[in-house]
Amino acid sequence: SLFENMPESAAYCRLISEDKGRAVDWMYLDANASFEQTCGKEDITGKSNMEIFPEIKDEHPDLLETFAQVVSTGRPARFEIHFRRLARWFRCSVFSPKRDHFVTIYDDITQRKHTESALLRTNAKLNLLSGMTRHDIRNQLQALSGYLELARLNSEKPEYLPESLEKADMVVETINRQLEFTKDYEEMGIHAPSWQNVATIISQAVSSLPLKGTRIEVEKPDLEVYADPLFSKVFYNLIDNALRYGGPHLTGIRITSRETDAGLILTCENNGIGIPAEEKKRLFERGYGKHTGLGLFLSSEVLSIIH
């Protein structure tokens, strides 16, 4: 039948009332395979909602009222709803074909909601970045102006001129790094995520790094993750930091993974000198570090939009 073969999850229900006629629950008279598969329940026909999904009463106390209103007025309703147990978002359409009966159709919109959420977070981050970048570059321009003024003042003292010009060059380099970082940051979340082979993107990320004999080991060469295209920069920054600060005894960097109830956990570890405990909490702060102070910050931002 059309009902059974629908790709959306659909159920045909009847309101259950007390003696005074007030709706207190609903019974499933029929449900298609997609509905049962989505809910993770079987043989729900003939059972009440409280028997099968008792948590809905606490999660969505107004759901029964919405269904009852559709039945009493005859006007269909459409709304979005999040079921925590299923960890999914649905667009729910409800209509009443006859007295005390209604049909609910659930269209899974989880991916769309995740995308919308990621875009909102990205826009907020871009606005924050814009303000921070203006502030940082303004400070650097003030420093540059100061060094150029010193160079003018020392024009008659050639021995001091190279020092002022060298410091001015350093400021220009800092501004250039900040602008390059801004370019990467602006691309975050703009392009659609895709499935990426972890071993491949690591190989590409380290191709320009001076490994100097350091071995890169990926535990599962066939592992793929669904992530932002900038995901490779996460590994680039992690491995770059290990090579810079791992010390003379660094010989290997290892990427492992394990599955948990919350999702997949990727771990990047090395046999270098390690990180002092007092520095660990600040590693991913913007501007913290001995180089640009931007790499690990960007990494944490990229990871924050991955679902």
Side-chain angles (χ1 to χ4, degrees):
S1 67
L2 177 64
F3 181 77
E4 179 59 33
N5 294 320
M6 287 176 59
E8 296 85 2
S9 301
Y12 180 44
C13 308
R14 176 174 61 84
L15 289 177
I16 302 174
S17 303
E18 289 182 328
D19 293 339
K20 296 181 180 181
R22 185 175 63 88
V24 296
D25 199 357
W26 64 89
M27 177 181 292
Y28 292 96
L29 302 179
D30 195 6
N32 65 2
S34 178
F35 187 94
E36 294 185 342
Q37 182 179 8
T38 297
C39 298
K41 303 285 185 177
E42 296 180 358
D43 301 324
I44 68 175
T45 299
K47 297 178 182 177
S48 73
N49 184 70
M50 288 300 296
E51 288 181 83
I52 305 171
F53 311 111
E55 69 277 1
I56 289 183
K57 182 179 180 180
D58 295 323
E59 277 192 26
H60 303 286
D62 56 343
L63 199 56
L64 175 62
E65 182 180 344
T66 300
F67 292 159
Q69 189 173 17
V70 169
V71 169
S72 63
T73 65
R75 290 194 296 268
R78 175 175 288 184
F79 53 90
E80 294 181 358
I81 189 168
H82 179 242
F83 291 116
R84 289 194 294 270
R85 184 182 67 84
L86 301 175
R88 294 185 185 181
W89 278 91
F90 295 91
R91 182 174 58 244
C92 179
S93 301
V94 190
F95 64 93
S96 178
K98 64 179 181 178
R99 180 179 176 81
D100 293 335
H101 293 69
F102 62 92
V103 174
T104 59
I105 300 174
Y106 295 92
D107 186 16
D108 194 329
I109 58 171
T110 305
Q111 187 57 51
R112 194 202 79 193
K113 297 296 286 188
H114 285 172
T115 301
E116 289 176 354
S117 178
L119 287 174
L120 287 173
R121 291 198 304 272
T122 300
N123 285 334
K125 291 173 186 295
L126 288 174
N127 289 332
L128 176 63
L129 172 72
S130 178
M132 291 190 302
T133 301
R134 285 197 304 272
H135 176 268
D136 291 348
I137 292 181
R138 186 181 296 115
N139 287 343
Q140 292 298 324
L141 288 175
Q142 289 176 348
L144 179 61
S145 178
Y147 290 132
L148 291 176
E149 179 62 24
L150 283 175
R152 281 192 291 270
L153 293 175
N154 290 327
S155 60
E156 297 179 0
K157 300 176 182 179
E159 65 274 19
Y160 297 112
L161 189 58
E163 181 181 356
S164 297
L165 293 177
E166 181 181 353
K167 289 181 178 179
D169 285 339
M170 291 174 61
V171 172
V172 171
E173 183 182 347
T174 298
I175 292 175
N176 185 59
R177 286 200 304 267
Q178 290 171 335
L179 291 174
E180 285 298 312
F181 166 77
T182 303
K183 177 179 178 294
D184 286 341
Y185 199 101
E186 286 178 345
E187 292 178 356
M188 185 182 67
I190 300 300
H191 303 290
S194 60
W195 286 102
Q196 302 175 54
N197 179 271
V198 173
T200 299
I201 63 176
I202 290 175
S203 177
Q204 294 170 349
V206 304
S207 62
S208 60
L209 290 174
L211 296 179
K212 297 179 181 178
T214 302
R215 187 181 71 261
I216 308 294
E217 179 185 352
V218 181
E219 181 188 40
K220 296 180 179 178
D222 58 344
L223 179 66
E224 293 190 350
V225 295
Y226 190 70
D228 189 274
L230 284 178
F231 190 45
S232 63
K233 287 190 176 293
V234 174
F235 287 107
Y236 176 91
N237 289 321
L238 290 174
I239 295 172
D240 181 44
N241 273 267
L243 295 173
R244 286 178 184 275
Y245 311 118
H249 301 297
L250 174 70
T251 60
I253 298 172
R254 188 166 181 256
I255 291 84
T256 59
S257 62
R258 60 187 176 91
E259 293 190 31
T260 69
D261 292 338
L264 183 73
I265 294 179
L266 283 171
T267 302
C268 180
E269 55 187 347
N270 64 75
N271 62 351
I273 60 176
I275 303 168
E278 63 273 12
E279 292 187 18
K280 287 184 178 181
K281 293 183 178 180
R282 301 192 59 194
L283 279 177
F284 297 95
E285 292 180 8
R286 187 173 188 267
Y288 184 78
K290 300 175 182 178
H291 188 46
T292 64
L294 300 174
L296 291 181
F297 173 75
L298 176 64
S299 298
S300 66
E301 296 292 272
V302 171
L303 293 175
S304 73
I305 66 170
I306 295 176
H307 292 277

